[in-house]
Amino acid sequence: MDIDATLTMEGEGNVEEELGRGKMNKKLSWQLKSPFDKEGKAVSSKADNQNTLKSSEDEKLVKKIIVLLGKEKRRGRKKEGQIDLYADDNSLRKKPYKLYHQKISSKMFFLELSDIKFVLDDKHIDIALYYLRKKECYHPRDHPFRCTTTDVLFDNYMALVYKDFSEDASDEFWCAGDNQLFLTPYVWGDSRRCGIAWTEVDKIFFPCRLPSKDDEAVTHFLLGVLDLNQKKIDVYDSIYSEPYEAGMNYMQMYARMIPHLLKFSQFDKNHKSFGNVFNKFDIRWQRSPHQTGSTNCGAFLIKFAELLMIGKDVQQF
C-alpha cells in the first residue's frame, strides 16, 4: 500500500470521528473530497441542480402564500361562517375563559388592575392571591417561611355564619349545616379553591372585606395575616394604622372562630409548633403605607401580601 493511500485512509477515519459517524459509513460527503475528482464534479453538479429545484419550489410556495393572503385566510382572520367569540359589546366575550375558578368575561380585566380609578372586585383579589400562592409553591427558596392564602369566598362565609357561632360556639356548630363541608377543607387543603393544608404552613394570608351598613356595597379591603406559631393576627390597613371600631369588630370574628375551627379539625395533632392551646388569637394593627385615592385598597392589599410573603417590610411599597 502506497503512502498516499495510507494518508487517505487516516484522513477518512479522522473525519468520521470528528463528525461522530459510525464505522459502517465509509463514504465521505462530496464537500470533503478533492475538487479534481470526477466523481466529486458529478456530485457537485447534481447538488447545483437540487439547489435550482429548491429555489423554484420556494418561488411556487411564495406564490401560494400570496394567493392565500389575498383571500384573507391568514391565521387570526375570521373565516366565513365562523362564530364570533366577541359579543356586540366590545368589552365582553361570548365564551369567557377561567382563571382560578373565576370566569373572565371582560376584556378590560387586566387593564383594570393598572387603573388607579377602578375599584378592584373579588375576582381581582382572588386571582392575584392565587398566583402569589403558586409563586410560593414553585419558588420556596425566595420565601423565608411557608405560607398560603384564602379567598374572598372564605371571608364571605365566615361573616355569614359568625352570628350563629356567637350563639353556639360548641362542636355541634361545626357539624351542623355546611360549615364542616365548606370551612374545614380549607384547613386540610382539600378545598378546590385553596389546596394547601394549613398544617404545612406557618402563616395564612386572608383578605377581609368590610361590608357597608346595608351589607351590599363594598366599603374597604384590608389584609389579615394569621401567624400560627405566635397565635396572632396581624392586620394591614391602607387607611388606618391604628384599630378602629368597624375594623376591630370584623377582625374579632377571625380571632374567635379560627381557634374553634382548628380545634374541631384536630389541628394540634398535625402541626409541629402550634401546641394544644386554642385561646382567642391576639390582634395587632401594623403600620403600613396609606393609599392616596379612595379606590386603591384592593391594590394595596395585593402588594402588602406580595411583600410580606418574601419577608420584606410593607414600608418598601
Side-chain angles (χ1 to χ4, degrees):
M1 183 179 294
D2 56 358
I3 297 177
D4 295 337
T6 305
L7 293 176
T8 303
M9 292 179 62
E10 291 179 356
E12 293 178 358
N14 292 335
V15 173
E16 288 180 354
E17 291 178 0
E18 292 176 0
L19 298 178
R21 296 172 179 170
K23 296 181 180 180
M24 298 299 295
N25 189 7
K26 296 181 179 179
K27 294 184 179 180
L28 297 176
S29 60
W30 62 272
Q31 292 91 338
L32 299 177
K33 291 188 177 182
S34 173
F36 300 101
D37 190 358
K38 294 182 180 180
E39 185 178 356
K41 288 183 178 180
V43 174
S44 62
S45 62
K46 183 177 180 180
D48 294 337
N49 294 333
Q50 290 179 353
N51 293 333
T52 304
L53 292 175
K54 288 183 179 180
S55 61
S56 62
E57 291 177 356
D58 292 341
E59 292 178 358
K60 293 180 180 179
L61 182 59
V62 171
K63 291 181 180 180
K64 289 183 179 180
I65 294 176
I66 294 176
V67 174
L68 290 175
L69 292 177
K71 294 182 179 179
E72 296 186 352
K73 290 185 178 181
R74 285 187 298 172
R75 185 177 182 181
R77 293 285 187 91
K78 179 185 174 183
K79 299 180 180 179
E80 296 182 0
Q82 183 180 3
I83 300 176
D84 191 0
L85 294 177
Y86 297 96
D88 296 335
D89 186 358
N90 292 329
S91 63
L92 300 176
R93 286 176 57 97
K94 286 185 177 179
K95 295 183 179 180
Y97 54 91
K98 283 188 177 181
L99 286 176
Y100 176 67
H101 304 285
Q102 298 285 356
K103 290 184 178 181
I104 307 302
S105 58
S106 173
K107 301 180 192 177
M108 303 296 293
F109 177 82
F110 295 101
L111 293 178
E112 291 167 352
L113 286 172
S114 60
D115 188 356
I116 62 175
K117 297 181 181 179
F118 185 82
V119 180
L120 300 186
D121 57 13
D122 298 354
K123 293 182 180 179
H124 295 98
I125 302 297
D126 287 347
I127 292 173
L129 294 179
Y130 163 72
Y131 280 104
L132 290 177
R133 186 166 66 248
K134 287 174 66 69
K135 183 179 179 181
E136 192 276 337
C137 291
Y138 293 149
H139 305 281
R141 295 182 180 180
D142 298 337
H143 299 75
F145 50 83
R146 291 298 313 276
C147 60
T148 186
T149 68
T150 60
D151 53 11
V152 179
L153 183 61
F154 180 85
D155 179 69
N156 292 340
Y157 200 86
M158 290 279 288
L160 181 64
V161 301
Y162 181 61
K163 182 178 179 180
D164 297 335
F165 173 81
S166 300
E167 298 175 356
D168 181 14
S170 63
D171 293 343
E172 296 180 356
F173 166 79
W174 301 106
C175 298
D178 297 332
N179 300 338
Q180 181 180 1
L181 298 177
F182 187 84
L183 293 177
T184 54
Y186 278 84
V187 178
W188 292 113
D190 297 332
S191 174
R192 294 182 179 180
R193 302 177 65 88
C194 300
I196 300 178
W198 292 8
T199 55
E200 304 295 331
V201 302
D202 301 314
K203 295 183 179 182
I204 303 165
F205 293 78
F206 55 92
C208 297
R209 184 179 62 180
L210 301 184
S212 62
K213 296 181 180 179
D214 54 4
D215 293 333
E216 293 181 0
V218 177
T219 57
H220 185 49
F221 275 112
L222 51 84
L223 176 67
V225 182
L226 179 64
D227 192 327
L228 296 173
N229 298 325
Q230 299 184 14
K231 298 181 180 179
K232 66 174 183 176
I233 297 178
D234 293 326
V235 183
Y236 295 87
D237 194 332
S238 58
I239 294 182
Y240 303 101
S241 297
E242 297 179 356
Y244 55 99
E245 184 178 0
M248 181 58 72
N249 292 339
Y250 200 85
M251 298 312 301
Q252 290 286 351
M253 173 184 68
Y254 277 87
R256 291 186 58 193
M257 290 184 63
I258 292 297
H260 283 266
L261 175 61
L262 298 179
K263 182 180 180 180
F264 177 78
S265 303
Q266 297 182 347
F267 186 79
D268 56 323
K269 297 181 180 180
N270 297 275
H271 196 273
K272 297 180 180 179
S273 58
F274 183 80
N276 56 359
V277 180
F278 297 90
N279 295 332
K280 179 182 175 181
F281 285 13
D282 295 331
I283 301 176
R284 300 180 183 179
W285 228 266
Q286 301 293 337
R287 296 187 63 85
S288 56
H290 291 173
Q291 63 188 65
T292 56
S294 60
T295 60
N296 301 341
C297 56
F300 272 72
L301 182 152
I302 296 171
K303 194 61 180 180
F304 288 160
E306 181 183 7
L307 291 173
L308 293 171
M309 281 185 176
I310 59 179
K312 292 186 178 181
D313 187 3
V314 294
Q315 298 296 335
Q316 299 179 5
F317 190 91

